[in-house]
Amino acid sequence: MTLPRTYRTVGLTLRKSAVGETDLVSVLYTAEHGKLEVLARGARRLTSKLMGHFEPLTLLRLAVARGRALDIVAEAEVITAFPMVKTDYATTARGLYVAELVDAFSALAAANPELFDLALQTLDAIGDDLASELPLRYFDLQLLRLSGFLPELYHCVECGAELEPERHRFAAGSGGTLCPDCTPPDVIVRPLSLAALKVLRLLHRTESVARLPELRMPAGVRDEVRRTLSTAIQYWLDRPVRCQVFLDAAKLA
Ligand SMILES: [Zn+2]
């Protein structure tokens, strides 16, 4: 059976790079095909119909022709460019953080429709509530879950004992929470407060970002939740998150 020569899909643009005089290569995330790398011929020409379509964080409806090396964009139509996310530097940085992590955690051509939905819903939530960072923390935890790296939050990863209030710590390198009696060698163990653990569990069991309750966390808890998730993400990524620099610069995460 031969594959059809063209196919239609909907994709979220993650990043782009210039190729040749006027072409560009766009990396998109799609529900059916996972991460997709496509060539958009002439898209950098000012007169091109595709001009501006491949800016990061644009949801596109595409017709794509199969090519020998890269598939080639035949048609592209913008569904939304998430204008609310791009209202200012800080929210744009949050959007790009989502794009960077989807890119980093998804192998080429491995479909994960739930991750596609999570990315779109997170972008909507960022645009809906410009002041809240909870959508990003929800994204962090659910990204880990959908990638098979969900940290343990209920038991000690070493001895299996159920955690008791105020008797818990966190070690990204061990895969989650630890009781005070277990200290595995060669991993960084961090303190974890009960308040932060409760927020992490809430993020875990809430079924979608739209269903998150209004939560006004004290700054200390907010920072602790962010640091805990960020150590888990960096542990699996094995490098820092580039967009974190911009978030820190904007004093927002
Ligand atoms: Zn233990």
Side-chain angles (χ1 to χ4, degrees):
M1 197 182 89
T2 51
L3 291 165
R5 285 174 55 198
T6 58
Y7 58 96
R8 293 188 174 273
T9 189
V10 169
L12 174 69
T13 56
L14 304 176
R15 62 184 154 90
K16 65 180 167 93
S17 47
V19 178
E21 294 270 305
T22 59
D23 300 346
L24 62 81
V25 169
S26 171
V27 174
L28 303 113
Y29 200 69
T30 70
E32 314 93 322
H33 311 283
K35 195 153 76 174
L36 201 61
E37 210 171 351
V38 293
L39 177 67
R41 285 202 173 123
R44 282 160 52 232
R45 216 175 269 140
L46 286 170
T47 52
S48 168
K49 277 188 301 187
L50 300 177
M51 178 77 191
H53 281 32
F54 293 91
E55 288 307 307
L57 303 178
T58 309
L59 189 64
L60 294 173
R61 191 172 285 119
L62 296 159
V64 185
R66 291 190 193 280
R68 255 177 307 187
L70 284 177
D71 291 356
I72 297 156
V73 176
E75 289 166 38
E77 177 198 346
V78 175
I79 299 170
T80 176
F82 297 98
M84 287 305 289
V85 174
K86 295 169 184 167
T87 42
D88 64 28
Y89 179 84
T91 52
T92 305
R94 287 175 171 182
L96 292 173
Y97 172 90
V98 171
E100 181 183 342
L101 288 185
V102 168
D103 191 7
F105 275 83
S106 54
L108 273 178
N112 192 339
E114 271 191 275
L115 178 56
F116 179 72
D117 291 343
L118 175 68
L120 296 190
Q121 287 164 11
T122 304
L123 292 174
D124 283 337
I126 292 170
D128 283 347
D129 185 351
L130 303 179
S132 173
E133 71 173 63
L134 210 54
L136 272 201
R137 298 297 77 85
Y138 183 81
F139 172 79
D140 287 343
L141 189 84
Q142 297 294 333
L143 171 75
L144 289 167
R145 180 179 72 81
L146 293 171
S147 309
F149 303 129
L150 176 71
E152 170 62 46
L153 298 171
Y154 298 89
H155 296 88
C156 171
V157 286
E158 282 292 308
C159 68
E162 197 174 332
L163 297 179
E164 292 171 35
E166 302 294 4
R167 288 174 55 80
H168 31 72
R169 298 172 301 155
F170 189 86
S174 289
T177 42
L178 286 169
C179 78
D181 304 325
C182 294
T183 303
D186 305 324
V187 295
I188 300 166
V189 180
R190 312 171 63 96
L192 178 66
S193 72
L194 183 59
L197 179 61
K198 282 183 171 172
V199 174
L200 291 171
R201 287 175 174 174
L202 175 84
L203 296 175
H204 173 228
R205 61 170 189 262
T206 303
E207 60 193 61
S208 78
V209 68
R211 288 180 179 266
L212 283 172
E214 284 233 2
L215 200 63
R216 293 287 162 228
M217 287 182 276
V221 177
R222 203 178 55 209
D223 290 350
E224 195 186 344
V225 170
R226 187 185 64 228
R227 273 199 313 271
T228 305
L229 287 168
S230 150
T231 54
I233 284 172
Q234 289 191 29
Y235 177 80
W236 294 112
L237 206 55
D238 210 16
R239 64 165 172 82
V241 180
R242 282 189 302 272
C243 284
Q244 193 68 50
V245 178
F246 301 109
L247 289 167
D248 292 345
K251 292 269 184 295
L252 277 164

